[in-house]
């Protein structure tokens, strides 16, 4: 007998079927792990930015009890090319990235607020940063996005599934597209979400980190 219904929202971290052909996607892996305890519904959309994800809340079914959101990676990718602007001084570069972070914060807050209006047990994921093709400079820039994600989770007392500590090996990323989780990476993500669902006390309003 299912004790709950988990919604996976966000981007291709969850909607990764196209990157693991012939193998189970994250939603299927989570559903298998939670069989008999929770059912799983995927509403995440490959390619969505945070400013798109809030619209997914309209697809949440009435039977939903939990929502896990993984978003932000596409926003970081959108701005990655700006790291290679040789015409800016260091002050101008920091100013530009400060503005990028501020815009992301506004979008992320709006997205979270849209999901929280449903008063469901809600958890969010950080953006992983061990992608084989990502440079050290890009990892540093990515920390600006993850800082927003963790800060907003703490402000709202939401649990965090820290994908930076989950997908740490090259084999965790799809050979089709190295920014997407492989089947092995998806299994790790599903295991971390399962741990969060089993251990987190949503009633105490405290942020805990799961990996």
């Amino acid at each position: 007998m299912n004790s709950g219904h988990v919604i996976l929202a966000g981007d291709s971290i969850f909607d990764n079927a196209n990157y693991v052909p012939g193998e189970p996607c994250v939603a299927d892996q989570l559903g298998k792990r939670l069989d008999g305890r929770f059912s799983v519904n995927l509403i995440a959309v490959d390619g969505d930015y945070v400013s798109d994800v809030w619209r997914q809340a309209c697809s949440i079914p009435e039977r939903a009890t939990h929502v896990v959101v993984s978003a932000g990676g596409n926003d970081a990718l959108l701005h990655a090319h700006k790291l290679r602007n040789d015409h800016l001084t260091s002050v101008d570069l920091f100013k530009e990235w400060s503005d990028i972070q501020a815009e992301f914060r506004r979008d992320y807050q709006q997205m979270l607020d849209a999901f929280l209006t449903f008063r469901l047990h809600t958890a969010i994921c950080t953006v992983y940063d061990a992608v084989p093709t990502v440079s050290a400079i890009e990892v540093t820039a990515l920390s600006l996005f993850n800082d927003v994600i963790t800060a907003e989770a703490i402000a709202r007392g939401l649990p965090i599934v820290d994908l930076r500590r989950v997908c740490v090996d090259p084999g965790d990323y799809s050979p089709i597209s190295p920014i997407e989780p492989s089947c092995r990476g998806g299994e790790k993500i599903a295991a971390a979400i399962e741990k969060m669902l089993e251990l987190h006390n949503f009633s105490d309003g405290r942020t805990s980190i799961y990996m």
Side-chain angles (χ1 to χ4, degrees):
M1 187 72 177
N2 290 334
S3 60
H5 188 88
V6 183
I7 307 301
L8 298 180
D11 53 31
S12 57
I13 301 304
F14 293 153
D15 186 23
N16 72 320
N18 288 334
Y19 309 104
V20 289
E23 298 180 295
C25 63
V26 171
D28 290 339
Q29 289 169 312
L30 182 62
K32 183 177 180 180
R33 298 185 74 97
L34 299 178
D35 185 36
R37 294 174 290 159
F38 292 85
S39 55
V40 177
N41 189 188
L42 176 70
I43 64 173
V45 178
D46 182 6
D48 266 10
Y49 298 100
V50 165
S51 58
D52 302 315
V53 172
W54 69 270
R55 297 182 180 90
Q56 296 174 16
C58 299
S59 300
I60 294 177
E62 291 184 3
R63 64 185 182 280
T65 59
H66 297 71
V67 178
V68 185
V69 183
S70 181
N74 290 322
D75 297 80
L77 283 172
L78 178 66
H79 298 289
H81 70 281
K82 296 177 182 177
L83 292 170
R84 292 177 282 277
N85 191 333
D86 297 328
H87 303 292
L88 295 178
T89 66
S90 58
V91 172
D92 290 336
L93 188 61
F94 274 110
K95 174 62 169 61
E96 181 175 27
W97 279 90
S98 177
D99 292 341
I100 290 170
Q101 186 187 47
E103 180 182 10
F104 179 72
R105 189 183 306 277
R106 289 191 296 270
D107 289 342
Y108 203 86
Q109 288 172 337
Q110 181 185 34
M111 181 269 293
L112 273 185
D113 289 343
F115 283 99
L116 291 175
T117 58
F118 288 82
R119 300 187 182 278
L120 303 174
H121 297 318
T122 304
I124 60 177
C125 301
T126 57
V127 179
Y128 48 45
D129 57 10
V131 178
T133 57
V134 172
S135 68
I137 293 175
E138 290 170 325
V139 171
T140 300
L142 184 56
S143 68
L144 296 175
F145 297 85
N146 277 318
D147 180 70
V148 169
I149 292 171
T150 54
E152 294 304 321
I154 292 170
R156 292 166 169 80
L158 304 178
I160 299 170
V161 179
D162 194 352
L163 299 187
R164 295 170 297 182
R165 301 185 182 184
V166 174
C167 295
V168 296
D169 301 314
D172 295 334
Y173 299 91
S174 170
I176 295 175
S177 175
I179 63 172
E180 312 295 348
S182 65
C183 183
R184 189 174 81 173
E187 179 63 24
K188 289 183 176 182
I189 293 170
I193 294 173
E194 179 187 28
K195 180 187 294 186
M196 181 274 297
L197 293 171
E198 289 180 340
L199 300 180
H200 191 71
N201 181 2
F202 285 91
S203 64
D204 68 6
R206 296 182 181 180
T207 297
S208 296
I209 297 176
Y210 299 90
M211 63 191 89

